[in-house]
Amino acid sequence: MASLVSPGDVIQGHAKEQENCDKCHKKFDKGAQAGLCRACHKDINNDINAKRGFHGRMKEQRDCKECHTEHKGRTVKIVIFDPTKFDHGTQTDFQLRGGHLAPKVKCLSCHFAGKKYSEAPSTCNGCHKKDDKHKGGLGTDCAKCHVEKDWKTTNFDHNKTNFKLLEKHIVVKCDKCHINGKYKDTPKACVACHKKDDEKAHRGKLGPKCESCHTEKDWNTTKFDHNKTNFRLLGKHDEVKCDKCHINKKYKGTPKLCYACHKKDDDTNVRAHKGKFGQKCETCHIERDWKEILFNHDKTKFPLIGKHRTPLKCVSCHRGDLYLDKLQTTCVSCHKKDDDKIHKGKYGAKCESCHTARDWKEITFDHARDTKYPLLGKHKSAKCVSCHQGDLFKDKLQTTCVSCHKKDDLRIHKGNFGVKCESCHVERDWKEILFDHNKQTKYPLTGKHKVAKCASCHTGDIYRDKLQTTCVSCHKKDDEKIHKGNFGIKCETCHVDRGWKEVLFNHDRDTKYALVGKHKLVKCASCHKGNIYTEKLQTTCNSCHEKDDKHKGQEGKKCETCHNVNDWKKTTFNHNTMSQFPLKASHGLVTCKKCHAAPTFKDAKSDCWSCHEKDDAKIHKRRLGTACETCHNERSWAVWDFDHDRTGFKLTGPHKNLSNCYACHIKPMERKVRAPTACGGCHDKDDIHNGEYGPQCDRCHIGDKWREVRVGSSR
């Protein structure tokens, strides 16, 4: 019946009420329809009444049919909903925030297909139950810890619970304490969570109150104050781990003695005592550093000084039991090997007589103070074994120099200088000679004798062999080499000890023959070829210079007449004052032999012709006589001094220009034949008149011009 009046089929959800119209419609009352819808849809009715959900939040309540029309078929959607325009925040009770916002989350992620939108869960657990890593152990109110922005970001404040999270607990993950997701009745005691750690570290022997020692900041950092116990931790003990002393995690009855803990160190450590120093470690060591020694050896009967104090180790001396073996305090008890190595046990056991504890190289023994033999000069730096080669105390050394230096004496002096070395030498330096030859002998050393070696003169025993003081006794070989023994044995006559080249002998003073000029530079042997004292030399020049006489003895033996000792080439003979023939002009340049041809000078003639006969014969043919000085002079033979005007025939005209005298003087002058003075006497051949006018040509002819004739002359 209902189908007859129905405008059409209802949706599939209302199909069962298709024939029951009064479920949705009330006859003759359209306004009742909305109430009937709400009566059937109680959940929506409840939302509207409570003003929640989509329908309860609508600003104006409208009839259901305004939105949801019916009778349009089974498949028609009567819910008109556009998700893009839907405001989830204002139109629902669940505002989308953080990770719930689109496009990260789609509608179907919460509003499952086949279910109403209002049926979507509004609690976290409703959607994220499967995601709940806590397996429901923390309840369904995820918002207590998580936020919508990111589920990994929590906002749970554990400090608002009765267990505040401090230090390391803050970064610990929840499941480390909330095991199996259980949050209720979670134990608060440390041991409840750290029981395994406690078993591993303390084996449960320190009790459950972990907080007594440990803090949340770092379990390695303890707040336990060991100093409040009956064993204060000092020095290195404050840094030691608990189990180093509390072995096997035993805290009760822990020994307090050093040896109880450090027995192994004392027994096995290479640098330790091997149990020989007893168990009272605190006698020497302190907690700050076991290398820092507290023990004061100075309070014993053997105070440590010098090298014994530091860096000497105890075991260097204490090699046995520290308390049972009483050490001897003598040096040799420890240093016997050193003594055997260096002194061979010969210096006795009283090391302290020489050495100190500061440095064994520092010697305190004072030879001057402690013996009768003070060490001076080089003896100070000499090693003990240099002299003390036997037992230091048993073998008494001799104090004489030769007792130690016999080998040196034999090497240098061959034993010839005796055993009293101190007579010459001093300790400062053996090269420094103390012996004063000038004061201690009758022969003072001067000049070169000062620097001469002793062995140069003293070739034998210095005390037995008495040396002669004459020069030749030492210098005989030198004399033989130079003077051949010819100068006698009185060397001091000529030589001095400053230098043998310096001659003391003064020939001018000590002989009758003074040396002057070149004689001063001549060697003695040049004149004295024989014995200087037995053979008396002649003082004449010729006695030495006979071979040098270039005159072959022709000029006599009185060389000094012409020559002098300054230079034999320069003669001193003055021909002008010492002879009757003064040398003038060119004669002064002529050599002696030019005139003095004979062995002596007496044979020389003073006339010109006697020397120049050959020159006259060559030029004048002996026609002008032997009186050369009549025409010539000594200045130059080419210059004539003869004045023809002083004769009875004055030369005029062409006669002046005649080239030679022989034009007129035809016959030699030596025959005293006078030359003719008449013109005809010379010009008879030139007379063109053939003698008709007589020999007096000058009556007509003029001397200057013979061709010119005097007019009016008479014949």
Side-chain angles (χ1 to χ4, degrees):
M1 188 70 179
S3 61
L4 294 175
V5 295
S6 174
D9 291 336
V10 297
I11 63 173
Q12 185 63 38
H14 292 163
K16 63 180 180 178
E17 303 295 341
Q18 177 77 34
E19 297 297 329
N20 192 6
C21 297
D22 57 357
K23 278 286 189 180
C24 299
H25 303 283
K26 189 176 181 181
K27 295 178 179 180
F28 310 109
D29 188 1
K30 292 182 179 181
Q33 187 176 0
L36 294 174
C37 291
R38 292 170 66 177
C40 189
H41 298 282
K42 292 179 180 180
D43 54 344
I44 295 175
N45 184 54
N46 291 333
D47 287 343
I48 293 172
N49 291 334
K51 294 183 179 181
R52 66 188 178 191
F54 175 73
H55 294 89
R57 286 178 174 272
M58 295 179 66
K59 293 181 180 181
E60 296 179 2
Q61 290 298 322
R62 299 159 60 185
D63 288 339
C64 298
K65 64 180 180 180
E66 292 182 19
C67 296
H68 307 288
T69 60
E70 260 291 11
H71 298 288
K72 292 186 177 183
R74 289 278 192 267
T75 60
V76 174
K77 293 182 179 181
I78 63 172
V79 178
I80 301 172
F81 176 71
D82 186 357
T84 59
K85 296 179 180 180
F86 183 75
D87 187 357
H88 211 286
T90 60
Q91 295 177 303
T92 68
D93 297 328
F94 190 83
Q95 187 175 2
L96 298 180
R97 290 188 293 264
H100 288 153
L101 293 172
K104 188 174 183 180
V105 177
K106 297 180 179 181
C107 299
L108 294 178
S109 297
C110 299
H111 300 283
F112 304 113
K115 289 189 176 183
K116 299 177 181 180
Y117 282 99
S118 61
E119 291 179 354
S122 60
T123 63
C124 302
N125 192 61
C127 280
H128 300 287
K129 187 176 182 180
K130 291 182 180 181
D131 300 326
D132 184 14
K133 293 183 179 182
H134 312 303
K135 299 179 181 180
L138 296 180
T140 59
D141 192 3
C142 304
K144 289 182 179 181
C145 297
H146 299 281
V147 296
E148 293 152 320
K149 183 180 180 181
D150 185 1
W151 68 268
K152 291 183 179 181
T153 304
T154 62
N155 61 357
F156 181 75
D157 188 0
H158 210 285
N159 293 337
K160 292 180 180 181
T161 68
N162 56 1
F163 189 85
K164 288 185 177 183
L165 298 181
L166 303 173
E167 302 294 344
K168 290 288 186 179
H169 284 162
I170 295 175
V171 296
V172 174
K173 295 182 178 181
C174 303
D175 57 359
K176 287 292 183 179
C177 298
H178 300 284
I179 302 169
N180 295 326
K182 292 181 180 181
Y183 288 84
K184 289 183 179 182
D185 301 326
T186 301
K188 300 175 184 177
C190 302
V191 74
C193 284
H194 299 286
K195 187 175 182 180
K196 289 184 179 180
D197 298 327
D198 180 64
E199 287 291 338
K200 183 179 179 181
H202 307 307
R203 303 183 187 276
K205 295 178 180 180
L206 296 182
K209 294 183 178 182
C210 305
E211 64 273 10
S212 300
C213 299
H214 300 284
T215 63
E216 295 96 335
K217 184 177 181 180
D218 186 0
W219 68 269
N220 287 329
T221 303
T222 62
K223 66 178 181 178
F224 179 75
D225 189 357
H226 209 285
N227 294 334
K228 292 181 180 180
T229 67
N230 56 1
F231 188 84
R232 297 182 65 191
L233 297 182
L234 303 174
K236 292 289 184 180
H237 285 161
D238 195 31
E239 302 172 7
V240 175
K241 294 181 179 181
C242 303
D243 57 0
K244 286 291 184 179
C245 298
H246 300 285
I247 302 168
N248 297 326
K249 311 305 178 184
K250 292 181 180 180
Y251 289 85
K252 291 183 179 181
T254 302
K256 300 176 183 178
L257 296 176
C258 305
Y259 192 75
C261 283
H262 298 286
K263 186 176 186 300
K264 289 184 179 180
D265 298 329
D266 185 67
D267 290 341
T268 61
N269 196 314
V270 177
R271 295 173 293 179
H273 312 307
K274 311 295 183 183
K276 296 178 180 179
F277 285 8
Q279 299 181 5
K280 294 182 179 181
C281 307
E282 64 276 9
T283 305
C284 298
H285 300 285
I286 58 175
E287 296 95 335
R288 279 197 304 273
D289 188 355
W290 66 270
K291 292 182 179 180
E292 182 178 345
I293 306 301
L294 179 69
F295 181 76
N296 189 353
H297 211 285
D298 296 343
K299 293 181 179 180
T300 67
K301 294 181 180 180
F302 189 81
L304 298 181
I305 56 176
K307 292 289 185 180
H308 288 160
R309 181 175 292 277
T310 180
L312 194 63
K313 296 179 180 180
C314 303
V315 292
S316 299
C317 299
H318 298 280
R319 298 176 182 176
D321 192 294
L322 181 65
Y323 297 98
L324 298 177
D325 298 339
K326 298 297 181 182
L327 295 180
Q328 296 181 23
T329 58
T330 59
C331 303
V332 77
S333 62
C334 280
H335 298 286
K336 190 174 187 302
K337 289 184 178 180
D338 299 327
D339 181 68
D340 290 340
K341 181 180 178 181
I342 299 173
H343 302 311
K344 315 297 182 184
K346 296 177 180 180
Y347 286 8
K350 293 183 179 181
C351 307
E352 64 276 9
S353 300
C354 298
H355 300 285
T356 65
R358 284 192 301 273
D359 189 353
W360 64 270
K361 291 183 178 180
E362 180 182 346
I363 307 299
T364 58
F365 182 78
D366 189 344
H367 214 281
R369 180 192 63 212
D370 303 330
T371 69
K372 295 179 180 180
Y373 188 80
L375 298 181
L376 303 174
K378 292 288 186 179
H379 288 163
K380 286 183 179 180
S381 57
K383 294 181 179 180
C384 303
V385 293
S386 300
C387 300
H388 298 280
Q389 297 177 352
D391 191 293
L392 181 66
F393 297 99
K394 293 180 181 179
D395 298 340
K396 298 298 181 181
L397 295 180
Q398 296 181 22
T399 57
T400 59
C401 304
V402 76
S403 61
C404 279
H405 299 286
K406 188 174 182 179
K407 290 183 178 180
D408 299 327
D409 180 67
L410 291 174
R411 180 167 58 89
I412 298 172
H413 302 311
K414 315 298 182 185
N416 295 329
F417 286 8
V419 296
K420 293 183 178 181
C421 306
E422 64 276 8
S423 300
C424 298
H425 299 285
V426 294
E427 296 95 334
R428 283 192 302 275
D429 189 353
W430 64 269
K431 291 182 178 181
E432 181 181 346
I433 305 301
L434 180 68
F435 182 78
D436 190 344
H437 210 281
N438 298 342
K439 295 179 180 179
Q440 295 174 255
T441 69
K442 295 179 180 180
Y443 188 81
L445 299 181
T446 57
K448 292 289 185 178
H449 288 161
K450 286 183 178 180
V451 296
K453 294 182 179 180
C454 303
S456 300
C457 300
H458 299 280
T459 54
D461 191 294
I462 197 170
Y463 297 102
R464 295 177 183 175
D465 299 340
K466 298 298 182 182
L467 295 180
Q468 296 181 23
T469 58
T470 59
C471 303
V472 76
S473 62
C474 279
H475 299 286
K476 187 176 182 180
K477 290 183 179 180
D478 300 327
D479 182 68
E480 290 288 343
K481 182 179 179 181
I482 298 172
H483 302 310
K484 315 297 183 184
N486 295 329
F487 285 7
I489 59 175
K490 293 183 178 181
C491 306
E492 65 276 9
T493 304
C494 297
H495 299 286
V496 294
D497 47 16
R498 285 193 300 273
W500 64 268
K501 291 184 178 181
E502 181 183 348
V503 179
L504 180 68
F505 181 77
N506 189 333
H507 212 282
D508 300 344
R509 180 192 65 212
D510 302 331
T511 69
K512 296 179 180 180
Y513 186 81
L515 298 180
V516 293
K518 292 287 186 178
H519 287 163
K520 288 184 178 180
L521 306 176
V522 174
K523 294 181 180 180
C524 303
S526 298
C527 298
H528 299 280
K529 298 179 180 179
N531 191 299
I532 197 170
Y533 295 101
T534 56
E535 294 180 10
K536 300 296 182 181
L537 295 180
Q538 296 181 22
T539 58
T540 62
C541 303
N542 189 64
S543 63
C544 279
H545 299 288
E546 185 177 0
K547 292 182 179 180
D548 300 326
D549 185 13
K550 293 183 179 181
H551 309 303
K552 310 297 181 181
Q554 296 176 2
E555 311 296 348
K557 295 183 179 181
K558 293 185 178 181
C559 306
E560 64 275 11
T561 304
C562 297
H563 299 283
N564 61 72
V565 293
N566 294 321
D567 189 354
W568 66 269
K569 291 183 179 181
K570 292 182 180 180
T571 59
T572 57
F573 183 79
N574 192 336
H575 215 283
N576 298 335
T577 60
M578 299 172 69
S579 71
Q580 296 178 355
F581 188 82
L583 298 181
K584 299 179 181 179
S586 296
H587 285 161
L589 305 175
V590 175
T591 59
C592 302
K593 288 184 178 181
K594 287 290 184 179
C595 300
H596 302 283
T600 64
F601 291 94
K602 293 180 179 180
D603 63 331
K605 297 180 179 180
S606 60
D607 62 299
C608 302
W609 197 81
S610 62
C611 282
H612 298 287
E613 182 182 0
K614 291 182 180 180
D615 298 328
D616 180 68
K618 183 178 178 181
I619 297 172
H620 301 307
K621 311 293 184 182
R622 298 182 179 178
R623 289 175 292 196
L624 299 182
T626 59
C628 304
E629 63 276 8
T630 305
C631 298
H632 299 284
N633 60 62
E634 293 153 321
R635 292 192 303 277
S636 175
W637 66 267
V639 178
W640 292 359
D641 287 336
F642 182 76
D643 187 2
H644 211 282
D645 294 345
R646 290 184 295 179
T647 68
F649 188 82
K650 186 177 182 180
L651 296 180
T652 60
H655 289 161
K656 289 184 178 180
N657 298 326
L658 290 175
S659 60
N660 53 60
C661 302
Y662 318 126
C664 299
H665 299 280
I666 300 171
K667 293 182 179 181
M669 293 180 68
E670 60 184 359
R671 297 180 183 178
K672 298 181 179 180
V673 179
R674 297 181 62 83
T677 57
C679 300
C682 287
H683 299 286
D684 57 347
K685 291 181 180 181
D686 299 325
D687 185 13
I688 59 174
H689 305 297
N690 297 318
E692 295 179 4
Y693 298 125
Q696 296 180 351
C697 302
D698 53 341
R699 289 186 301 172
C700 297
H701 297 281
I702 300 171
D704 296 336
K705 300 177 181 180
W706 67 272
R707 293 181 182 274
E708 184 177 343
V709 179
R710 293 188 180 95
V711 179
S713 61
S714 60
R715 295 185 180 180

